[in-house]
Amino acid sequence: MRIERELAGLRAATGAWRGAGQRIGLVPTMGALHDGHLALVAEARRQADVVIASIFVNPLQFAPSEDLARYPRDEAGDLAKLAAAGCDLAFLPTPAVIYPPGDSTVIDPGAAPGSPAEFWEGAARPGHFRGVATVCCKLFMMTQADVAVFGEKDWQQLQVVRRMVADLLLPVSIQGLATVREADGLAMSSRNRRLSAAERAQAALLPALLDRCGAGLAEGGAVEATLAEGRAGMTAAGFAPDYLALVEPASLRPWPEGAIGAARLLVAARLGEIRLLDNIPVLVPPRRG
Ligand code: PAF
């Protein structure tokens, strides 16, 4: 596996691949890789001839109060996993490569009212999606990727990136891949490494409570009442929910009471210092009773 840290080396590789007519797949990551990331690499392999994985803990998507310094890092372990997964090139830029000295341009995916970046994570973490959109746009252009694969675990991020690619007419296809879960149902996430043993055991209750709430909605329960019950259940189980919301899957707007069809149920909840995110699809039937 080739390892590149500078733009010139990356461009030499991608230029040669494109010249040979090869399709380039990209898996953008922040490292601390787990099986969920490796599933993204496998999907990129299916969709492209060559696969690039980027590892960059993007400072622009962390607020000053957030966990940038404590974000888990394991470069040697990550490179071994990527090589074993058949990745062709690992791109590990420094912040100065992504944000050249004096840089003053960002992509703001929440520029228009009602954009998918406005709600939930966008409201809880102001500026977060500006950082995500800016780095993803740069990575798409730097790697000249034909396809980029993202996990559905960060459902809103996937929709924000899709919207940005459509708005900026970028020549990259965005593919989502179903969340990979631990044996007890917890959605895989790099931040899970920071849970204590007791918190890790407790964390498995979150997907179970999410499923229970989703089942209530899929059985025709009133949306607001079912969500309120779900939040209460999470609080009783020791979580501090930021939000538990039923949304329209692409726009992320709150699901209107009485609407029917394919929705997404999103949760963000704190367990100690760690913020856990998860989501599931829900098919909302006509209201019961
Ligand atoms: O999901 C992540 O790991 C990050 O938000 C991403 C997409 C790599 C951008 O920094």
Side-chain angles (χ1 to χ4, degrees):
M1 182 179 69
R2 191 165 169 169
I3 299 171
E4 297 293 346
R5 296 176 192 271
E6 300 292 336
L7 190 50
L10 175 69
R11 283 208 171 130
T14 55
W17 286 330
R18 290 196 79 83
Q22 292 193 293
R23 216 172 127 74
I24 299 174
L26 171 68
V27 178
T29 83
M30 298 206 299
L33 302 182
H34 48 67
D35 286 353
H37 292 113
L38 302 182
L40 303 180
V41 171
E43 182 60 22
R45 271 244 81 83
R46 278 189 285 276
Q47 304 234 0
D49 301 307
V50 287
V51 177
I52 301 175
S54 60
I55 299 179
F56 179 63
V57 184
N58 175 30
L60 197 62
Q61 69 189 73
F62 289 78
S65 58
E66 291 180 349
D67 60 351
L68 173 63
R70 278 166 295 143
Y71 197 84
R73 287 166 171 86
D74 177 14
E75 184 178 307
D78 289 348
L79 291 174
K81 286 177 190 164
L82 289 176
C87 179
D88 296 283
L89 188 152
F91 181 47
L92 290 81
T94 59
V97 170
I98 302 285
Y99 302 111
D103 88 301
S104 62
T105 306
V106 293
I107 305 288
D108 185 357
S115 97
E118 185 176 322
F119 309 97
W120 323 118
E121 287 305 283
R125 304 179 64 189
H128 171 66
F129 284 128
R130 200 177 309 129
V132 170
T134 301
V135 80
C136 286
C137 184
K138 289 182 185 225
L139 288 168
F140 297 159
M141 290 188 290
M142 285 190 285
T143 58
Q144 302 184 60
D146 296 283
V147 56
V149 189
F150 289 80
E152 288 186 352
K153 189 213 149 232
D154 294 299
W155 180 265
Q156 187 174 9
Q157 167 173 277
L158 175 61
Q159 308 315 316
V160 168
V161 171
R162 280 193 204 286
R163 184 71 256 169
M164 172 192 71
V165 164
D167 291 349
L168 298 182
L169 313 166
L170 299 178
V172 57
S173 152
I174 304 300
Q175 301 294 319
L177 194 71
T179 303
V180 178
R181 296 180 181 279
E182 304 286 356
D184 62 7
L186 180 65
M188 287 192 186
S189 164
S190 303
R191 287 187 172 94
N192 292 351
R193 292 185 186 198
R194 294 185 47 219
L195 294 167
S196 68
E199 287 168 343
R200 173 62 192 83
Q202 194 184 343
L205 294 174
L206 191 68
L209 291 165
L210 188 66
D211 280 347
R212 191 200 293 169
C213 182
L217 292 163
E219 283 160 14
V223 173
E224 273 320 314
T226 309
L227 293 176
E229 205 177 296
R231 281 180 212 112
M234 287 174 185
T235 306
F239 299 95
D242 266 3
Y243 56 79
L244 173 66
L246 189 69
V247 306
E248 196 284 317
S251 72
L252 275 295
R253 292 201 185 96
W255 188 260
E257 193 81 59
I260 58 173
R264 206 85 192 174
L265 181 61
L266 312 180
V267 67
R270 278 184 193 282
L271 186 57
E273 277 195 7
I274 306 302
R275 204 156 163 274
L276 300 169
L277 296 191
D278 204 345
N279 69 86
I280 53 170
V282 176
L283 195 56
V284 182
R287 178 83 183 272
R288 179 173 70 198

